[in-house]
């Protein structure tokens, strides 16, 4: 899997069929046993990858869609959405438990180990090289969001962001975990006019699904999303969802800045 995904503008999305929306914004088949699966989107030139080492180590190698030396111009955020594993960054080994994160600077050499581990990788263009850093899930202080009455109580863990201890050039990344009984994420929704955001939904049961809301506030659309599928949210699109069961998701952003608060809330009454 080595896909170069073109962008779709808001006007075309208004009239798109369900399949056209899925082809443009949904990422399926990202995690394949014993493989590195990659997708490059024209939206802020973000790269995502799913790495499942199984019985042998795997490397993130050059990707045709990026051209020669395309990886050398990118920084990386990594989250382990499977069992324990190891990421080797330029020869240095980092052990990652489930939900742990890792930052690797521009041009890093990356390899992955661990039967049962499932690594999600996000790459963004970077102007300089910064040091690698492991981010432990159980050592990260969450932000409490939502409430039980609105079925949206959740914990947001900021791994790589503008106000954190892990520096990056433009990449922001974290994990959100829903509490028992919660179904909604990122609701009420918002827009990032200066950044693209990508969600990877995980920890959904086999038959579970998330109804992911997207589109312009006055022209909303939706996608039905299964476990370990990702959704690309361009800067003109809201991004929110409700699930049939409890789930978690990795959020990652890249664009003009690293201002985590640089967003535009969308009142529920403005949705159409």
């Amino acid at each position: 899997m080595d896909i170069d995904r073109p962008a779709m503008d808001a006007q075309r999305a208004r009239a798109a069929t369900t399949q056209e929306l899925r082809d443009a914004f949904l990422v399926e088949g990202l995690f394949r046993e014993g493989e590195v699966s990659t997708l490059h989107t024209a939206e802020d030139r973000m790269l995502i990858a799913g790495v499942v080492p199984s019985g042998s180590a795997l490397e993130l190698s050059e990707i045709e869609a990026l051209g020669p030396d395309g990886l050398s111009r990118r920084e990386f955020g990594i989250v382990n959405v499977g069992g324990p594993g190891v990421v080797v960054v330029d020869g240095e080994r980092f052990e990652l438990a489930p939900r742990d994160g890792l930052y690797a600077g521009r041009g890093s050499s990356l390899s992955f180990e661990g039967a049962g581990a499932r690594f999600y990788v996000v790459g963004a263009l970077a102007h300089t090289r910064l040091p690698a850093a492991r981010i432990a899930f159980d050592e990260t202080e969450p932000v409490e969001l939502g409430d039980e009455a609105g079925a949206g109580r959740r914990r947001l863990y900021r791994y790589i962001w503008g106000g954190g201890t892990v520096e990056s050039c433009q990449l922001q990344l974290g994990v959100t975990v829903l509490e028992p009984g919660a179904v909604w994420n990122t609701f009420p929704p918002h827009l990032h006019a200066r950044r693209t955001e990508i969600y990877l939904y995980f920890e959904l049961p086999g038959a579970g699904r998330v109804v992911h809301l997207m589109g312009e506030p006055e022209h909303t659309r939706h996608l039905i999303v299964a476990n370990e599928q990702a959704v690309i949210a361009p800067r003109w699109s809201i991004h929110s969802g409700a699930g049939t069961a409890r789930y978690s998701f990795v959020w990652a952003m890249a664009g003009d800045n690293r201002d985590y608060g640089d967003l535009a809330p969308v009142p529920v009454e403005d949705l159409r």
Side-chain angles (χ1 to χ4, degrees):
M1 179 181 179
D2 183 1
I3 297 174
D4 195 10
R5 185 76 63 91
M8 177 186 284
D9 62 32
Q11 185 172 4
R12 185 180 168 202
R14 296 177 194 173
T17 66
T18 298
Q19 191 58 53
E20 287 172 337
L21 289 174
R22 293 178 71 86
D23 291 343
F25 302 108
L26 184 67
V27 184
E28 303 176 89
L30 196 57
F31 296 90
R32 304 171 188 266
E33 292 294 324
E35 296 184 19
V36 177
S37 303
T38 61
L39 181 140
H40 172 260
T41 172
E43 303 290 352
D44 283 302
R45 298 190 62 191
M46 293 180 73
L47 169 73
I48 63 173
V51 184
V52 187
S54 297
S56 59
L58 293 174
E59 294 185 2
L60 185 64
S61 55
E62 290 299 332
I63 297 166
E64 183 177 352
L66 302 182
D69 302 320
L71 290 179
S72 67
R73 298 189 294 272
R74 283 169 167 78
E75 60 185 351
F76 304 94
I78 302 164
V79 177
N80 183 9
V81 298
V86 174
V87 181
V88 183
V89 182
D90 297 326
E92 184 177 1
R93 298 174 65 84
F94 295 88
E95 295 186 4
L96 267 62
R99 297 180 180 170
D100 281 358
L102 179 69
Y103 172 82
R106 172 178 167 151
S108 295
S109 172
L110 302 175
S111 65
F112 304 84
E113 304 172 7
R118 302 169 79 81
F119 298 103
Y120 177 59
V121 184
V122 181
L125 290 171
H127 63 272
T128 191
R129 182 179 174 88
L130 296 168
R134 174 180 171 270
I135 309 105
F137 173 80
D138 59 8
E139 296 175 7
T140 303
E141 185 70 25
V143 177
E144 303 284 344
L145 298 170
D147 54 39
E148 293 183 6
R153 190 178 174 200
R154 57 200 184 275
R155 289 170 285 129
L156 184 150
Y157 297 82
R158 294 179 290 195
Y159 287 3
I160 306 166
W161 59 293
T165 57
V166 177
E167 285 296 317
S168 71
C169 293
Q170 66 160 320
L171 182 64
Q172 298 179 53
L173 178 145
V175 173
T176 297
V177 179
L178 271 66
E179 297 283 8
V183 298
W184 281 103
N185 76 71
T186 324
F187 198 81
H190 56 253
L191 295 167
H192 294 291
R194 284 170 283 276
R195 292 189 301 280
T196 297
E197 185 162 14
I198 300 177
Y199 279 9
L200 172 79
Y201 289 101
F202 70 106
E203 296 181 346
L204 261 171
R209 294 293 185 270
V210 172
V211 180
H212 180 92
L213 301 180
M214 61 162 295
E216 302 162 284
E218 66 276 19
H219 295 284
T220 56
R221 310 302 305 274
H222 74 272
L223 295 168
I224 305 299
V225 184
N227 188 49
E228 295 185 347
Q229 293 181 347
V231 179
I232 301 166
R235 59 192 65 204
W236 50 263
S237 177
I238 64 169
H239 33 281
S240 179
T244 61
R246 186 184 178 192
Y247 58 93
S248 302
F249 63 97
V250 180
W251 47 269
M253 291 183 281
D256 290 355
N257 61 40
R258 294 183 304 131
D259 181 358
Y260 182 79
D262 184 14
L263 55 84
V266 179
V268 176
E269 57 267 29
D270 290 349
L271 298 175
R272 298 290 185 269

